[in-house]
Amino acid sequence: MHTYKTLTLAEAHTILDAAQTKAEELGVPEVLCVADNAGYPIALRRLDGGKVTSVQIAMNKAFTAAGHRKPTHVYKNALPGEEAFGIFTQHEGRFTVFVGGFPIFVDGQCVGSISASGGNGEQDIACCEAGIAAFMTALKK
C-alpha cells in the first residue's frame, strides 16, 4: 500500500496568494492553478483581465507538471522529428509543453503543482516560483 501526500485547499490558497501578488507586481493578468498530486485542480484563480483561453491552458500545465513530475518547459525534445514529438497529443491533448507549470515536492514526493498562463515565459515562471517559495516558507513555520 502507498501513502501519498497532497496539498490542502488552505495550502493551495497560500500558493495562489503569493503567485497573484507576483503577477500584480509584474502587471500581468494571469490565470493561476494549483493542482493535487495527480494533477487535478484544487483551486484556480483568473485575475481581472485574465484571458478565458488561459484557463484551460493553466489547468493543463498543472496537470502535466504534477502528473509527469517535471516542469513543463523541460520538454526540449518535443519538436517534429525529435524523441518526444507528439507527447502533447496524450491524455486527450491535456499534456502540454508550454512554459509555466511546476511540480511541488516535499521530502522528495510530488504533492501537487502550480501553473500560470497569461504572461510570457519569464513572467509565468516568476509567478510559479513565488507561489512555491511561499508554500515552502509556510511549511517551515
Side-chain angles (χ1 to χ4, degrees):
M1 179 184 315
H2 293 283
T3 302
Y4 297 100
K5 293 180 181 178
T6 194
L7 297 168
T8 65
L9 180 60
E11 291 166 334
H13 283 296
T14 296
I15 294 165
L16 288 175
D17 289 346
Q20 179 175 346
T21 297
K22 179 52 99 175
E24 290 170 346
E25 285 174 15
L26 296 171
V28 180
E30 295 274 11
V31 175
L32 306 163
C33 183
V34 173
D36 64 15
N37 63 343
Y40 287 89
I42 297 171
L44 183 122
R45 215 175 269 181
R46 182 174 161 207
L47 305 187
D48 290 342
K51 299 175 192 126
V52 69
T53 53
S54 291
V55 172
Q56 190 67 45
I57 293 169
M59 289 171 39
N60 290 348
K61 288 179 182 184
F63 174 80
T64 302
H68 218 61
R69 313 295 197 246
K70 292 182 184 179
T72 55
H73 63 275
V74 300
Y75 296 95
K76 304 294 184 197
N77 60 347
L79 296 172
E82 295 182 354
E83 179 180 332
F85 178 68
I87 198 166
F88 50 84
T89 67
Q90 301 306 297
H91 299 283
E92 290 80 38
R94 293 188 63 203
F95 200 101
T96 186
V97 297
F98 293 140
V99 174
F102 286 81
I104 301 171
F105 290 94
V106 174
D107 298 328
Q109 186 178 90
C110 181
V111 297
S113 63
I114 179 173
S115 66
S117 181
N120 63 34
E122 288 179 6
Q123 293 164 329
D124 289 357
I125 287 171
C127 293
C128 292
E129 288 176 341
I132 293 170
F135 172 65
M136 294 303 174
T137 298
L139 276 184
K140 292 177 186 176
K141 291 183 181 179

